[in-house]
Amino acid sequence: MENRVLQRVTSSFMQDLYDEQANGRWAGDGMLLISRLSERSSQVFGTGSPFQIDQLHIGVVVSGSQDVTVNLRQHHLTKGDLLVASPESILQEDGRSADFDMQVIHVSDELLRSLFGDKMPQLFAHRMNDLGICLDEPTYKLLLTMLDALWQTVHTDFSSCRDYLLKAILVLISDLSQCDEQSHESLQPRNVVVFNRFLSLVAEYCDRQRTLDFYADRLCLSKQYLGSIIMEVSHRTAREWIEEAALSRIKVMLLHTTAPLSDISERMSFAEPSHFSRYFKRLTGLTPNEYRCGK
């Protein structure tokens, strides 16, 4: 069977994907603007396999719908929705409508640091962070207007204004994130807040911590109490969430890199490669090599 290993979804890969296309523009060092998704994007990202991004990803849905899982969280996106995924986030597209389209910005860490210095907004300061917001109509139109202004600017002789417009867009998104977080945490039951914090920790630490004790300790809860909260909110065990996160990390490395299994085992903090192989086969029914080769 044909090998399923894909190119790693890096900034250079995205640049190649949209190179010399009218709907994509590599705007100098550190930023890619995509005014319309190309058909090839669905061929690359719509495979149902997880992939990892190396730059900040911001997308605004302008038509259709998409189902996507980002760092274990499932998002059903429709027109007017905003999706933010920080570097190292793991995404898996679960489906999209035929008319799905999204305006996208990819921003490098270097450009973010040059824009904000030591005053980086919380939303962009952490790895494997994600956010999905349903924008109201005025905010949606405002954001599209700002994105259009950014697009127009980088296509003219006034590209020096790019960073000012980009920073304004990022500040707006950061403010929207803070308002959304405050609103949700005030309305959601405490158990849901704990569950969301648990998912964030799992996404961050699953490559080196896979015991419930660790996460309970970080949340200042007993292992039994945290386990009961996870089951009550999600109808899945905490162990299932931890294993799903670890499995997504492993699949990304198997599909998008040529790293030897021994290296992947070490990166995932297994004592021995044989332990890693048994762990993966228990969860998938395949050996790591079988999965990598598409068997």
Side-chain angles (χ1 to χ4, degrees), residues 177-192:
S177 168
Q178 292 179 6
C179 292
D180 182 73
E181 182 178 356
Q182 292 169 1
S183 172
H184 274 71
E185 293 217 350
S186 64
L187 295 175
Q188 288 177 335
R190 179 177 181 274
N191 285 1
V192 175

Side-chain angles (χ1 to χ4, degrees), residues 137-258:
E137 188 68 16
T139 306
Y140 170 64
K141 290 182 176 179
L142 171 62
L143 187 53
L144 286 187
T145 299
M146 296 173 76
L147 289 171
D148 182 62
L150 182 61
W151 176 263
Q152 297 299 329
T153 298
V154 301
H155 284 77
T156 68
D157 294 334
F158 299 99
S159 57
S160 58
C161 298
R162 178 200 73 167
D163 289 357
Y164 298 104
L165 285 169
L166 176 60
K167 186 172 183 178
I169 290 169
L170 296 176
V171 169
L172 171 62
I173 291 173
S174 174
D175 289 348
L176 291 172
S177 168
Q178 292 179 6
C179 292
D180 182 73
E181 182 178 356
Q182 292 169 1
S183 172
H184 274 71
E185 293 217 350
S186 64
L187 295 175
Q188 288 177 335
R190 179 177 181 274
N191 285 1
V192 175
V193 174
V194 170
F195 172 70
N196 287 331
R197 290 175 179 167
F198 167 76
L199 285 190
S200 296
L201 287 171
V202 170
E204 182 177 358
Y205 291 102
C206 68
D207 59 342
R208 52 200 184 278
Q209 298 290 347
R210 287 183 287 276
T211 65
L212 184 55
D213 300 78
F214 170 81
Y215 298 102
D217 183 62
R218 290 299 298 262
L219 292 168
C220 300
L221 300 171
S222 72
K223 180 174 67 173
Q224 293 76 14
Y225 183 50
L226 176 58
S228 67
I229 288 176
I230 303 307
M231 177 59 75
E232 177 186 338
V233 173
S234 69
H235 306 291
R236 298 177 64 186
T237 66
R239 179 182 178 183
E240 288 175 319
W241 284 109
I242 295 168
E243 289 181 339
E244 181 176 331
L247 191 60
S248 293
R249 286 278 187 100
I250 294 167
K251 285 180 176 179
V252 164
M253 288 186 276
L254 289 173
L255 291 178
H256 303 292
T257 77
T258 57

Side-chain angles (χ1 to χ4, degrees), residues 66-70 73-77 83 130-133:
Q66 179 193 47
D67 292 305
V68 61
T69 301
V70 186
R73 292 184 177 86
Q74 295 179 333
H75 300 274
H76 177 69
L77 304 175
L83 178 68
D130 59 275
L131 169 72
I133 299 179

Side-chain angles (χ1 to χ4, degrees), residues 73-130:
R73 292 184 177 86
Q74 295 179 333
H75 300 274
H76 177 69
L77 304 175
T78 58
K79 180 180 177 181
D81 287 351
L82 168 71
L83 178 68
V84 180
S86 65
E88 298 184 19
S89 289
I90 294 178
L91 290 77
Q92 179 172 313
E93 184 175 272
D94 304 312
R96 65 167 74 177
S97 64
D99 61 341
F100 174 72
D101 202 1
M102 173 184 273
Q103 291 197 18
V104 179
I105 310 177
H106 289 270
V107 185
S108 70
D109 283 348
E110 292 76 12
L111 182 52
L112 278 174
R113 285 194 293 269
S114 72
L115 292 175
F116 293 103
D118 59 358
K119 297 181 179 179
M120 186 76 69
Q122 191 76 6
L123 177 63
F124 310 126
H126 298 289
R127 322 302 282 180
M128 297 196 75
N129 199 14
D130 59 275

